[in-house]
């Protein structure tokens, strides 16, 4: 099963993902995958880290300070760290984790063809994948993921964000 969380920027998608991850860990299950928190300087977002959930290895996903790499908006994407940290985190999670978390499947990460291939492999597995997916993107891969028959999409907003943790956990329990 693939659980996809989508919603507008700043509504709490990553917070929701972290709450679900904590509850699953508290139940004794192992978690793996990757997440990409913001980097802020002087109150402004200047980039994103990429972190392996299991090993805690960190890298730089994208930054306004990068001078090389594909451009996505005002950011330059660091393909080396996507591949060496993000892709490796997902491959390791596929082998060793009960649940796989991805924050997020979005245009920056998708500048790496290895990332999209690995995400698809993970989603094809028998493992439960819980991923944040870019809401407005018309990227062909994102549309393909959203249209999977085994995907459950949860659209988070200000009204439902406090109740979605339990709703998603109930859906996971019903298949487990």
């Amino acid at each position: 099963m693939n659980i996809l969380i989508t919603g507008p920027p700043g509504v709490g998608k990553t917070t929701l993902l972290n709450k679900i991850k904590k509850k699953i860990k508290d139940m004794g299950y192992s978690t793996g995958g990757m997440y990409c928190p913001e980097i802020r300087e002087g109150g402004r977002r200047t980039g994103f880290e990429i972190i392996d959930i299991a090993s805690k290895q960190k890298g730089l996903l994208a930054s306004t300070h990068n001078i090389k790499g594909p451009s996505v908006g005002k950011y330059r994407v660091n393909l080396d760290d996507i591949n060496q940290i993000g892709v490796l985190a997902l491959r390791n999670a596929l082998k060793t984790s009960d649940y796989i978390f991805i924050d997020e499947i979005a245009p920056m990460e998708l500048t790496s063809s290895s990332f999209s291939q690995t995400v698809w492999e993970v989603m094809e597995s028998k493992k439960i994948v819980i991923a944040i997916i870019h809401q407005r993107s018309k990227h062909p891969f994102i549309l393909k993921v959203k249209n999977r028959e085994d995907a459950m999409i949860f659209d988070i907003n200000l009204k439902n964000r406090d109740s979605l943790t339990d709703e998603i956990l109930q859906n996971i329990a019903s298949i487990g």
Side-chain angles (χ1 to χ4, degrees), residues 58-78:
K58 292 181 180 184
L60 182 67
L61 169 63
S63 174
T64 56
H65 305 305
N66 282 1
I67 56 172
K68 65 176 189 154
S71 291
V72 176
K74 64 182 178 181
Y75 303 99
R76 290 282 190 141
V77 179
N78 180 346

Side-chain angles (χ1 to χ4, degrees), residues 39-86:
I39 298 169
R40 288 195 161 283
E41 296 173 14
R44 293 184 35 220
R45 184 170 66 195
T46 59
F48 299 88
E49 288 181 292
I50 188 165
I51 302 172
D52 181 325
I53 290 169
S55 75
K56 309 290 187 253
Q57 183 180 4
K58 292 181 180 184
L60 182 67
L61 169 63
S63 174
T64 56
H65 305 305
N66 282 1
I67 56 172
K68 65 176 189 154
S71 291
V72 176
K74 64 182 178 181
Y75 303 99
R76 290 282 190 141
V77 179
N78 180 346
L79 289 173
D80 290 339
D81 282 358
I82 290 175
N83 294 327
Q84 293 168 9
I85 297 172

Side-chain angles (χ1 to χ4, degrees), residues 10-176:
V11 76
K13 296 179 297 290
T14 299
T15 300
L16 174 63
L17 193 77
N18 287 331
K19 285 180 182 177
I20 294 166
K21 183 172 48 131
K22 181 182 182 329
K23 292 205 176 215
I24 286 172
K25 284 185 88 162
D26 289 349
M27 291 186 279
Y29 294 102
S30 62
T31 60
M34 40 88 48
Y35 68 105
C36 302
E38 293 182 344
I39 298 169
R40 288 195 161 283
E41 296 173 14
R44 293 184 35 220
R45 184 170 66 195
T46 59
F48 299 88
E49 288 181 292
I50 188 165
I51 302 172
D52 181 325
I53 290 169
S55 75
K56 309 290 187 253
Q57 183 180 4
K58 292 181 180 184
L60 182 67
L61 169 63
S63 174
T64 56
H65 305 305
N66 282 1
I67 56 172
K68 65 176 189 154
S71 291
V72 176
K74 64 182 178 181
Y75 303 99
R76 290 282 190 141
V77 179
N78 180 346
L79 289 173
D80 290 339
D81 282 358
I82 290 175
N83 294 327
Q84 293 168 9
I85 297 172
V87 170
L88 190 59
L90 294 175
R91 288 191 176 138
N92 288 338
L94 194 53
K95 293 179 203 159
T96 64
S97 299
D98 297 316
Y99 291 84
I100 301 173
F101 290 83
I102 307 170
D103 177 12
E104 83 179 294
I105 303 168
M108 279 186 205
E109 292 84 354
L110 293 174
T111 58
S112 163
S113 60
S114 294
F115 179 82
S116 55
Q117 290 171 350
T118 304
V119 166
W120 196 258
E121 287 172 32
V122 166
M123 292 187 144
E124 287 283 297
S125 76
K126 301 289 183 212
K127 306 256 175 145
I128 294 177
V129 177
I130 303 157
I132 294 174
I133 192 154
H134 197 273
Q135 184 180 39
R136 295 179 317 273
S137 177
K138 300 294 184 216
H139 190 288
F141 184 78
I142 291 174
L143 297 174
K144 182 178 167 183
V145 167
K146 285 181 175 180
N147 287 318
R148 288 180 61 98
E149 283 188 26
D150 62 352
M152 294 182 72
I153 300 175
F154 292 86
D155 198 349
I156 184 174
N157 57 53
L158 294 174
K159 291 180 183 173
N160 71 359
R161 69 181 181 182
D162 294 328
S163 62
L164 268 184
T165 303
D166 290 335
E167 185 179 337
I168 291 171
L169 288 168
Q170 287 169 0
N171 277 281
I172 291 170
S174 71
I175 60 140

